[in-house]
Amino acid sequence: MIAPSILSADFANLAAEAAAVSGPGPSRADWLHVDVMDAHFVPNLTLGLPIVQSLLKATDIPLDCHLMIEDPARWAPPYAEAGAHNVTFHAEATDNPVAVAKDIRAAGGKAGLAIKPGTALEPYLEILRDVDTLLVMSVEPGFGGQKFMPEVLDKVRAVRKLVDSGDLRLLIEIDGGIADSTIAEAAEAGVDCFVAGSAVYGPEDAGAAVAALRAKAAAHRAK
């Protein structure tokens, strides 16, 4: 799965940028990744629920909302209520991730848990049964265009083993520095869904970039 990040898109033309990855076949994005930043949990401020509500009217691609925010217990469920397909919050932002995940699901969305590069996976292994997606950050959250951190792939490999053995049922997503030069390594580790920003919206043809990333990931998919 390829999830273009609109953090790298033209904010003045988001409907057109969504349409650019809405074509047929392998050039069509599986999800559209929406980075929500509050200038508290991370230093930057991006966009919020009103933009998501507008995007939902402009595209039929499922929205994958990544909430880099404080107090997800308060703010995450409304994104699911609005119609976002997947709503991901950060493990580091809450003391009760299971409750947040439950509320997102009750509001009609899939629940995702994100972990920063420096956050250990082990304390959260048990609660992965209560989420639909694990988002492994391969850069520090809050900024686009950072260099991929391959050391986080050990987390991907650990969870991939649990999924393949039947102990877990979830999607493994990766976000940060995914491009033609890094997607093969992430695919080999066992990633299911690849968030790509500048690698999609940097080239002139975003749809072709999606197709190229998909092909490379498929060629190197974990066996």
Side-chain angles (χ1 to χ4, degrees), residues 147-149 153 176-187 194 216:
K147 186 178 179 181
F148 179 75
M149 301 169 68
L153 294 179
I178 293 298
D180 181 71
S181 60
T182 57
I183 196 167
E185 187 177 5
F194 305 84
K216 191 152 192 179

Side-chain angles (χ1 to χ4, degrees), residues 40-166:
H40 295 283
F41 182 73
V42 292
N44 280 341
L45 181 67
T46 54
L47 46 79
L49 186 58
I51 302 298
V52 168
Q53 291 169 327
S54 294
L55 266 175
L56 285 163
K57 298 174 184 177
T59 183
D60 62 353
I61 299 175
L63 296 192
D64 175 33
C65 293
H66 177 194
L67 308 186
M68 288 170 269
I69 63 172
E70 293 181 350
D71 198 8
R74 176 181 179 185
W75 299 112
Y79 284 85
E81 291 168 359
H85 174 75
N86 191 68
V87 181
T88 296
F89 61 97
H90 267 266
E92 304 89 357
T94 176
D95 293 327
N96 196 344
V98 173
V100 177
K102 182 178 179 180
D103 288 346
I104 291 170
R105 285 171 162 179
K110 300 289 187 181
L113 183 73
I115 54 175
K116 294 180 180 181
T119 298
L121 174 66
E122 288 74 18
Y124 300 100
L125 284 174
E126 285 300 317
I127 68 168
L128 292 183
R129 303 179 191 282
D130 298 290
V131 299
D132 304 288
T133 305
L134 173 66
L135 176 58
V136 176
M137 293 297 299
S138 44
V139 298
E140 289 297 332
F143 302 92
Q146 296 182 65
K147 186 178 179 181
F148 179 75
M149 301 169 68
E151 58 267 28
V152 305
L153 294 179
D154 285 342
K155 299 175 190 178
V156 172
R157 295 183 187 100
V159 177
R160 180 83 264 157
K161 288 180 181 179
L162 294 173
V163 172
D164 289 346
S165 69

Side-chain angles (χ1 to χ4, degrees), residues 164-214:
D164 289 346
S165 69
D167 289 339
L168 280 178
R169 293 184 62 185
L170 49 66
L171 285 172
I172 305 171
E173 186 174 11
I174 196 162
D175 182 5
I178 293 298
D180 181 71
S181 60
T182 57
I183 196 167
E185 187 177 5
E188 288 170 353
V191 171
D192 298 302
C193 183
F194 305 84
V195 177
S198 56
V200 170
Y201 285 115
E204 185 174 342
D205 189 332
V210 168
L213 289 170
R214 187 188 309 283

